[in-house]
Amino acid sequence: MVVVACYVLLLVFGGLLGMIGSFQYARALGSFPVAAPAFAVGTGVACVLGGWGMRRPLGGLMPAVGWFVASFVLAMGTPGGSVLITNTNAGMWFLFGGALCAVAGVLVSFMLWSPARAGAARRGGSRSHGG
C-alpha cells in the first residue's frame, strides 16, 4: 500500500512540475528564458531521483508521465483560441527541453535500476573480483 502511494505521489509531483512550469516558464534574465531550461532539467532530475528512491524504473517513469500529461494538456488551445504555453523560445525550451530531459531521466532510471540489472548484480555480473 505504501509503495503504491509513493508511485502516486511521484505522478502528482511530476504533474505539479508541469503545471507550475506551464505558468512560470517565461521568467527570464534579460532576453534569456531562465525558468524554462530550469524546469526542463528539474523534470529530468525528478525522474532520476524517483527511480533512485524507488529502486525501480517505474519510479523514474511516474514523474515523467505526470509532467507530460500536465504540460501537454495545458499547452493545448481552447475553443476560444487562447493558449497557455506560447510558441516562443521559452515555450519551446519548456516543452521540448522538458520532454527530452524527462525521457533522458527515465532512460537513466531504467539503465541503473532495471530488474535485469539487479539480477545480474546479484549473480556477480560480468565484473571479475579477482582472487
Side-chain angles (χ1 to χ4, degrees):
M1 194 74 165
V2 172
V3 173
V4 172
C6 289
Y7 284 124
V8 170
L9 285 175
L10 285 169
L11 180 74
V12 169
F13 181 68
L16 286 173
L17 274 174
M19 190 173 67
I20 293 169
S22 294
F23 289 102
Q24 302 296 323
Y25 73 93
R27 304 263 181 201
L29 287 177
S31 63
F32 183 73
V34 177
F39 275 104
V41 170
T43 302
V45 169
C47 293
V48 172
L49 290 177
W52 173 72
M54 298 302 291
R55 295 285 192 246
R56 295 275 184 253
L58 186 59
L61 181 65
M62 297 309 280
V65 169
W67 183 87
F68 272 104
V69 169
S71 297
F72 285 94
V73 165
L74 291 173
M76 292 189 297
T78 62
S82 63
V83 292
L84 191 59
I85 301 173
T86 58
N87 189 16
T88 61
N89 285 337
M92 296 296 167
W93 272 96
F94 177 70
L95 285 177
F96 295 119
L100 183 66
C101 288
V103 168
V106 170
L107 287 175
V108 167
S109 294
F110 184 77
M111 289 187 309
L112 294 176
W113 297 290
S114 68
R117 182 177 168 94
R122 279 192 297 264
R123 288 188 304 271
S126 61
R127 295 183 187 171
S128 173
H129 295 291

